[in-house]
Amino acid sequence: MTTSRSTYHHGDLRQAILAAALDVIAAEGPGALSLRDLARRAGVSHAAPAHHFKDRTGLLTAIATEGYELLAEALAGAPGLRERGVRYVRFAAAHPAHFQVMFQPDLYRDRADDAELLAAKARASAELRTGAETLAADPSVTRDTGIAAWSLAHGFATLLLTRNLDDPLGGRDPGEVFRSVTGLLGSGQLPDKEGE
């Protein structure tokens, strides 16, 4: 996607650079990002992106922050842990570039001095925890339930994004398949031992 030079003149350079970066990440991964290339795509000088992001790490921090905000919005109000998992999987499918960056903290500034990022992560974490809290009164059980649910949803989403589920899904809606899988796990329909 290329953005015209006129976008900058309307004051949308930050969004134009973010959109171009998300396109690059979705197509080629975060390692392919270059501020110089993004400036070329946006039709501005190679120094222009630095005014908004300082450097590549700043840009990836902005992407992670936006991703956590979007995830928190996607999870908000979901009725129960299973539906939060379905929304998590659908978020990953709708925002693959954000998802790639969010869970690689070595790519961005994940420190106490980035208040926006920390607030967005805290909001997303709170939404994830809310589903687990409805299942158990014991905090240690709630924590472990949350870890198990997050692992399942994150693993499913990662397999989906890396196209490892293309054949098993057979064109079916990933969210519906995730809902079905979690139903099998909770119903006791899966055998505990091989051959049962």
Side-chain angles (χ1 to χ4, degrees):
M1 176 179 114
T2 53
T3 307
S4 70
R5 187 176 295 271
S6 64
T7 300
Y8 173 70
H9 295 299
H10 292 297
D12 291 338
L13 177 61
R14 185 177 195 282
Q15 282 308 118
I17 296 295
L18 282 171
L22 291 169
D23 287 345
V24 169
I25 294 167
E28 304 171 49
L33 270 187
S34 154
L35 288 182
R36 185 177 292 269
D37 176 56
L38 295 174
R40 182 189 55 74
R41 289 171 183 254
V44 296
S45 76
H46 71 274
H51 293 294
H52 293 279
F53 304 107
K54 285 190 182 175
D55 55 20
R56 184 176 180 277
T57 302
L59 173 61
L60 290 165
T61 302
I63 290 170
T65 301
E66 184 177 79
Y68 280 111
E69 289 169 353
L70 291 168
L71 177 59
E73 289 170 16
L75 297 174
L81 193 57
R82 179 179 296 159
E83 291 309 308
R84 285 175 194 276
V86 170
R87 288 187 184 187
Y88 189 95
V89 167
R90 289 191 170 143
F91 163 80
H95 302 282
H98 287 98
F99 193 82
Q100 284 185 61
V101 172
M102 292 162 60
F103 300 104
Q104 294 186 61
D106 56 316
L107 293 177
Y108 55 85
R109 293 184 185 101
D110 190 19
R111 300 180 299 218
D113 59 61
D114 198 311
E116 283 184 60
L117 174 64
L118 293 177
K121 283 180 84 170
R123 186 170 162 229
S125 293
E127 289 295 342
L128 284 168
R129 278 192 311 275
T130 298
E133 290 168 353
T134 63
L135 297 178
D138 181 341
S140 66
V141 172
T142 297
R143 184 178 52 247
D144 291 350
T145 300
I147 291 169
W150 185 26
S151 298
L152 181 61
H154 190 82
F156 189 99
T158 300
L159 289 169
L160 176 68
L161 294 182
T162 55
R163 306 197 55 138
N164 286 291
L165 291 180
D166 286 358
D167 286 339
L169 289 175
R172 295 176 293 160
D173 175 67
E176 291 303 318
V177 173
F178 181 80
R179 184 179 287 120
S180 175
V181 166
T182 55
L184 291 172
L185 293 174
S187 69
Q189 292 182 27
L190 292 180
D192 288 334
K193 297 180 194 168
E194 191 174 321
E196 284 187 356

